[in-house]
Amino acid sequence: MTPLRVAFRADASIEIGTGHVMRCLTLAYILREQGADCSFICRSHPGHLLSLIRTHGFAAHSLPVVDIRSSATDQERFPYADWLGADWVEDADQTLAVLGPVQVDWLIADHYAIDERWEKRVRNSASKLLVLDDLANRPHACDLLLDQTLGRSSADYNDYVPSRCVVLAGPEYALLRPDFASLRAVSLERRASPRLVHLLITMGGVDKANATSRVLASLASCALPMDCRITVVMGAQAPWIREVRKRADDLPWPTEVRVDVRDMAHLMTNSDLMIGAAGSTVWEACCLGLPSLLASLAENQRTIAEALEAAGAAKTATISTVAAGMDWFLTPEASTPSKLSDLSRAAARVTHGRGASIVGQMLTMRGQL
């Protein structure tokens, strides 16, 4: 049998962030282990991850950035149209040119600026089309749709997908690397008697707004335990790394700034509390039962943060109220261990971390979806 051929259309940039490409890479790893031939099509925005994709052994085709703004009609249709870096027709045609005349088995689109118009235009290039979405705000012409948002249901897409489309909804399908599920038992056991000794800060792979520096500035006024240590995680494309390192040096607790971390599952397992943006990293934290204080850096993140807080799986704050959020963990009204334990148990119920394997198995069932 010929290998399954899978193509991903996803972008990373200073504006978009890295999460879309990173979760596609996770799924590509799973599919490659099952014998699939995976490739990526990405536009070369400032902050793209084409080199990273190639470093991990996948073909990555670069599309040029076109200096064009989306039409007023497109902006009214959805607010992310400019993220594509080209007119949607041009993007679809460039994607078709890369794919060539032979159909791929799966074309996977993970982009807030793509909708049914683009999908219908490329439809004949793929036997099946999978869309990764988090918004439930626009129509799609796909065979399979995945939305890993907590509280999302397939009914949220009734008006947006064809009746034949299979919708996978909720964080049980979150696309996490296998090492998170592998370390889940160890991480949960470690939290049986928690202490706030190791604080992890991760505000996204790019953090274009420099939220990390503001979080570190807020922590300076917090009464963290004197034996506490802090680890800050940033992506190589983050524009504020130098300022963050300076802020870290000024803190009274040992603070390490790590760039392009490759052992995030181990780092989270050995952390006691995460201050983070409410992006895709939250599902990794939940899998490992890592308590979180979440700040929303984008409108779609607010939905995630509020749902996790409602489930008792995290606390929320704004960037300007991080210090007050930390005080909740440090005040004596209820013991910090109890607070950490309660959050950890609720977080662990959100996802088991095996979503990528489940989705990968579905994609390799040729023609059986």
Side-chain angles (χ1 to χ4, degrees), residues 19 22-23 26 148 171 174-181 183-184 187-188 191 200 202 233 261 263-269 274 277 279-292 308 347-348 350-353:
M22 295 307 294
R23 67 183 177 186
T26 294
Q148 59 192 25
L175 300 176
L176 308 185
R177 296 190 305 276
D179 48 339
F180 287 94
L183 286 171
R184 177 175 164 87
S187 183
L188 296 182
R191 304 181 195 287
L200 174 65
T202 173
V233 172
V261 168
D263 60 344
M264 194 66 167
H266 285 91
L267 181 56
M268 283 187 167
T269 296
M274 180 181 82
S280 56
T281 303
V282 299
W283 313 124
E284 300 170 349
C286 285
C287 173
L288 297 174
L290 174 61
S292 301
L308 285 168
V350 169
T351 183
H352 44 58

Side-chain angles (χ1 to χ4, degrees), residues 68-90:
I68 184 173
R69 306 298 292 178
S70 61
S71 68
T73 301
D74 266 3
Q75 281 294 339
E76 183 178 342
R77 187 182 180 94
F78 50 91
Y80 300 97
D82 286 334
W83 284 16
L84 202 55
D87 176 84
W88 72 266
V89 175
E90 182 174 18

